[in-house]
Amino acid sequence: MTIVSPSLLSADFGHLADELDMIDRSEADWLHIDVMDGVFVPNISFGFPVLKHVAKLCHKPLDVHMMIVDPERYIDEVKAIGAHIMNVHYEACRHIHRVIQQIRATGMRPAVTLNPGTPVAMLKDIICDIDMVLLMSVNPGFGGQKFIEHTLLKVAELRDLIAESGSAAIIEVDGGVNADTGMRLVEAGADALVAGNYVFSSGNPEETILTLKRL
Ligand code: DX5
Ligand code: ZN
């Protein structure tokens, strides 16, 4: 079964507790949390005062996606909300190797995220140090964008890099995921799918999560 991580960004924030109840009841594996700073990406989402409440209300493991510059400044805060995975962008870290070790030292699982314009080859020297690669299939910052088809080739390329290196990293993809793009991503070798708009704008989000899980 595919790992499914619904993205909180597309939830109805006027009814956050209900949305988190739905996630808890559903077959979702994780809850994907997009933290933005208005610098690394042209948008601002939510910060730790909000996430503390989210973490209390939701009992799924938290898959935290940091879209901020120098994300190592917030490793302790991410740990404090009980996150399972901390994703940092390759493009946002001056010393990506050190940041990975710092995340690992807290007991969280380190993951490295690549923007659509960053080649998979940049992961060559760190692929054995991380538990997951998050490939962006849209330019980060907003939900509801169109899937970039080239991501399918990157998934296949990353599968090869993981096999050659003997890394245990899994592959997650984020952006424009629906049943069609999701199916093609899983065929290409993706293990986990993030879905915001497709889940939360659906008439039956729990059923939509199940559809993605069965891909
Ligand atoms: C985009 C975020 C995504 C976003 C995905 O910057 O990283 O997690 O919520 O939304 P959809 O699935 O609607 O493209
Ligand atoms: Zn994300």
Side-chain angles (χ1 to χ4, degrees):
M1 289 264 241
T2 304
I3 295 169
V4 175
S5 193
S7 173
L8 184 69
L9 191 63
S10 293
D12 177 353
F13 278 79
H15 299 95
L16 197 49
D18 294 341
E19 298 281 58
L20 294 170
D21 275 352
M22 180 282 289
I23 294 292
D24 268 353
R25 282 194 313 270
S26 80
E27 297 291 316
D29 296 272
W30 303 331
L31 177 67
H32 186 82
I33 293 184
D34 292 299
V35 179
M36 304 179 187
D37 65 356
V39 178
F40 183 68
V41 290
N43 196 11
I44 297 175
S45 52
F46 31 71
F48 296 103
V50 173
L51 292 178
K52 271 177 206 155
H53 294 281
V54 170
K56 260 186 233 155
L57 291 168
C58 180
H59 302 97
K60 300 278 180 178
L62 305 180
D63 167 31
V64 179
H65 177 191
M66 301 295 281
M67 280 165 276
I68 72 169
V69 294
D70 302 333
E72 64 274 15
R73 293 173 295 151
Y74 293 97
I75 291 175
D76 291 344
E77 278 84 351
V78 176
K79 172 70 182 170
I81 62 165
H84 176 59
I85 302 169
M86 180 167 173
N87 297 273
V88 294
H89 271 259
Y90 177 84
E91 307 84 1
C93 298
R94 254 170 280 234
H95 298 283
I96 189 75
H97 185 274
R98 178 187 292 144
V99 179
I100 292 165
Q101 315 307 320
Q102 288 172 332
I103 295 171
R104 174 82 69 198
T106 67
M108 292 187 291
R109 295 179 171 271
V112 171
T113 311
L114 296 186
N115 276 335
T118 306
V120 163
M122 304 312 279
L123 298 169
K124 186 173 161 289
D125 293 327
I126 48 170
I127 193 70
C128 292
D129 296 311
I130 55 183
D131 289 6
M132 188 170 84
V133 176
L134 174 56
L135 289 180
M136 291 309 301
S137 40
V138 297
N139 283 294
F142 303 93
Q145 301 182 81
K146 191 176 177 302
F147 178 77
I148 297 171
E149 293 286 330
H150 180 69
T151 314
L152 292 161
L153 296 176
K154 290 177 82 171
V155 172
E157 206 183 329
L158 180 54
R159 262 291 48 109
D160 288 347
L161 176 66
I162 289 171
E164 283 159 19
S165 63
S167 161
I170 64 168
I171 304 175
E172 184 175 49
V173 183
D174 184 7
V177 170
N178 55 36
D180 168 49
T181 56
M183 188 186 66
R184 292 186 290 133
L185 285 164
V186 171
E187 277 170 9
D191 304 291
L193 300 172
V194 175
N197 197 52
Y198 185 60
V199 166
F200 285 97
S201 69
S202 109
N204 187 342
E206 283 179 69
E207 192 57 40
T208 304
I209 289 167
L210 210 49
T211 303
L212 292 173
K213 279 210 63 70
R214 290 186 180 128
L215 291 177

